């Protein structure tokens, strides 16, 4: 009997809640198709007249968004992750999910107080000299309160909702259960790889709700911009941080969103300077450090005095390894230079496009894509990268781009949009070009060889230890004649059959020729039993030769191999 592990069984009560919400937003046929209609309350088991295709009409994106909002924290976060993957779900769903609203009301101060005291192991009055009971902001994951430490430092304290981690894990189990059912029972949806999306989401959200990870991200981010007076990162107070409580420096500043929406605030700051500093910082994060803020919406970026840009909320971060950064920089340069051949070659080198693809057709498709952005000047690098990962080009050639590539396109697009709203003359390409060229030149530097040797020193050392021994063993086996070579043939069965058939025909032809020659010689002897004056054996030889010859001709005609 197949017993499902306890931690992989969906919570039936929560599953029923999810199915009820799906039914309310007209996804009844999907429920029926995956065999879960009987899980609905009896009163909800109405007849689903429509088909799955009919339910996926023009309103499906909006209805899906409303489903996620009704289901709460985990599903809202799922929608936010999916909104970064237009390559999988399409532009329409991706854009709709960017509208997801987190309208969760704040929880009571007594819960906040109890949570902090439990996490920090001390009464709240011993940790803070004052603590505002009213939250500055609230969301489904947690809420933020302003407080003062005993030394007078103003801090923002982020407190996670109680039992959030348990709820998230419970919902992920149900998501995986539903994704596997859909993947098995609705074949046309297998292309979206829903189980894979759930796995990716699980990794993302478990990091995001771990405030200890967010604190480490913030400190690493601060190190990147150490000494850069144009960028500021809040201080993290480690002694007052746990996986459920985060205490950081309180920032007195103005949100970039407020500056964009309020002309009066815009006059107090220099939009051109803010746009340039924000974009430079992002390209530095991406191309130089490979560690970037993956949620740069205008509410997460503040502006301080003297147009200093300050980043907040480090729960969602992107990572790019050295090799991918160098490849990306080269791709940027090909895009900037409108080098279609170079773009295609680079996409092949990066493993994004297969060499077996119709490269001639792909060339014209990329030319059409690039022509949309080339007027007087190229300014929208992020949109080109994003469109490259979401356009019909990728669907046509069945290409799935790496998650980091698509996420990066979205992030750069958001940065460029903010830059253009702050400064109408903003040009992201001109900002990214020097950094991309610098990275490519670094790759060509002779010192890179020394870095490569240093980075792979232990591998070289292991190879040098193993190599003599392996060569010695191989030579000994050669001398003893004990080298075994295993060969595997593929698709040779048909060839083998044809060779057998041909050899049989040749053998038969030789037998017929021998019979004819032998019979001819016997016919000339006039000895033995005679029939009509001809030797009996000679006549028999000719008859057998004729029968075999006819059979051979029929065989050749049958297999069309004349």
């Amino acid at each position: 009997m197949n017993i499902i592990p306890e931690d992989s069984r969906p919570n039936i009560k929560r599953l029923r809640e999810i199915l009820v919400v799906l039914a309310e937003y007209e996804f009844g046929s999907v429920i029926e198709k995956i065999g879960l209609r009987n899980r609905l309350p009896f009163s909800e088991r109405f007849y689903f007249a429509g088909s799955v295709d009919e339910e996926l009409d023009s309103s499906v994106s909006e209805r899906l968004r409303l489903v996620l909002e009704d289901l709460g924290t985990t599903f809202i976060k799922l929608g936010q992750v999916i909104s970064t993957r237009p390559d999988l779900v399409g532009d329409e769903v991706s854009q709709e999910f960017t509208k997801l609203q987190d309208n969760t009301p704040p929880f009571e101060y007594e819960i906040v107080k109890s949570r902090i005291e439990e996490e920090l192991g001390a009464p709240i009055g011993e940790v803070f000299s004052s603590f505002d009971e009213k939250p500055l902001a609230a969301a489904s994951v947690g809420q933020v309160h302003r407080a003062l430490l005993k030394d007078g430092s103003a801090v923002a304290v982020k407190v996670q909702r109680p039992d959030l981690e348990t709820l998230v894990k419970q919902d992920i189990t149900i998501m995986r259960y539903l994704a596997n059912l859909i993947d098995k029972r609705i074949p046309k949806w297998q292309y979206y790889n829903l189980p894979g999306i759930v796995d990716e989401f699980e990794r993302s959200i478990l990091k995001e709700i771990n405030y200890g990870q967010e604190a480490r991200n913030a400190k690493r981010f601060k190190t990147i911009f150490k000494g850069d007076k144009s960028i500021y990162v809040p201080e993290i107070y480690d002694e007052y941080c746990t996986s459920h409580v985060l205490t950081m420096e309180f920032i007195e500043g103005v949100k970039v969103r407020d500056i964009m929406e309020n002309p009066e605030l815009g006059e107090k700051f220099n939009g051109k300077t803010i746009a340039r500093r924000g974009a430079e910082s992002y390209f530095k994060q991406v191309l130089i450090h490979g560690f970037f803020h993956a949620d740069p919406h205008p509410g997460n970026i503040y502006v301080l005095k003297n147009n200093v840009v300050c980043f907040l909320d480090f729960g969602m971060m992107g990572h790019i390894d050295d090799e991918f950064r160098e490849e990306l920089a080269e791709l940027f340069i090909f895009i900037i230079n409108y080098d279609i051949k170079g773009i295609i070659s680079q996409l092949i080198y990066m493993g994004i496009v297969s060499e077996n693809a119709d490269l001639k057709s792909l060339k014209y498709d990329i030319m059409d894509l690039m022509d949309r952005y080339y007027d007087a000047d190229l300014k929208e690098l992020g949109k080109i990268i994003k469109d490259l990962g979401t356009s019909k080009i990728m669907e046509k050639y069945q290409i799935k781009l790496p998650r980091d590539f698509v996420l990066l396109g979205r992030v750069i697009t958001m940065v460029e949009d903010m830059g253009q709203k702050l400064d109408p003359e903003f040009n992201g390409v001109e900002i990214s070009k020097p950094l991309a060229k610098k990275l490519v030149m670094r790759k060509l530097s002779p010192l890179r060889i020394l870095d490569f040797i240093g980075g792979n020193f232990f591998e070289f050392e292991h190879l040098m230890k193993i190599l003599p021994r392996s060569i010695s063993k191989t030579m000994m086996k050669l001398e003893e004649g004990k080298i075994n070579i295993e060969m595997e043939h593929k698709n040779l069965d048909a060839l083998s059959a044809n060779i057998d058939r041909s050899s049989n025909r040749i053998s038969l032809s030789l037998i017929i020729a021998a019979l004819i020659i032998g019979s001819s010689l016997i016919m000339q002897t006039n000895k033995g039993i005679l029939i009509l004056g001809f030797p009996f054996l000679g006549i028999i030889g000719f008859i057998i030769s004729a029968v075999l010859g006819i059979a051979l001709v029929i065989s050749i005609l049958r297999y069309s191999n004349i």
Side-chain angles (χ1 to χ4, degrees), residues 304-323:
L304 313 181
K305 291 180 180 179
N306 300 320
N307 300 301
V308 173
V309 176
C310 176
F311 289 88
L312 296 177
D313 195 349
F314 301 94
M316 188 184 298
M317 305 297 291
H319 300 264
I320 302 177
D321 62 32
D322 292 346
E323 184 178 358

Side-chain angles (χ1 to χ4, degrees), residues 416-464:
E416 288 177 336
D417 286 344
M418 280 190 287
Q420 288 167 7
K421 289 176 181 177
L422 291 166
D423 174 19
E425 298 179 358
F426 174 83
N427 189 327
V429 168
E430 292 303 318
I431 294 173
S432 67
K433 190 186 296 184
L435 286 171
K437 287 184 176 180
K438 180 179 178 181
L439 190 58
V440 172
M441 292 304 295
R442 183 197 297 176
K443 183 178 180 180
L444 300 175
S445 170
L447 295 176
R448 178 66 189 275
I449 299 175
L450 296 177
D451 291 338
F452 176 79
I453 294 173
N456 294 276
F457 174 77
F458 290 112
E459 289 191 26
F460 288 136
E461 182 192 23
H462 295 159
L463 181 62
M464 294 306 294

Side-chain angles (χ1 to χ4, degrees), residues 345-356:
S345 297
Q346 189 65 14
L347 291 174
I348 292 173
Y349 178 73
M350 294 171 74
I352 293 172
V353 173
S354 169
E355 292 182 3
N356 298 324

Side-chain angles (χ1 to χ4, degrees), residues 40-102:
L40 285 166
F42 186 78
S43 60
E44 298 287 341
R45 296 181 191 179
F46 48 82
Y47 177 70
F48 302 131
S51 67
V52 172
D53 290 337
E54 289 174 350
E55 288 181 353
L56 304 182
D57 57 15
S58 58
S59 67
V60 65
S61 300
E62 182 181 4
R63 288 187 286 118
L64 279 172
R65 174 177 61 80
L66 294 173
V67 166
L68 298 179
E69 287 181 350
D70 280 6
L71 291 176
T73 305
T74 316
F75 289 85
I76 290 173
K77 291 294 181 183
L78 173 65
Q80 291 172 349
V81 169
I82 291 176
S83 72
T84 69
R85 296 305 306 267
D87 58 313
L88 295 180
V89 298
D91 284 331
E92 187 177 343
V93 173
S94 174
Q95 288 296 324
E96 184 66 31
F97 282 7
T98 60
K99 303 175 185 176
L100 280 164
Q101 299 294 319
D102 190 348

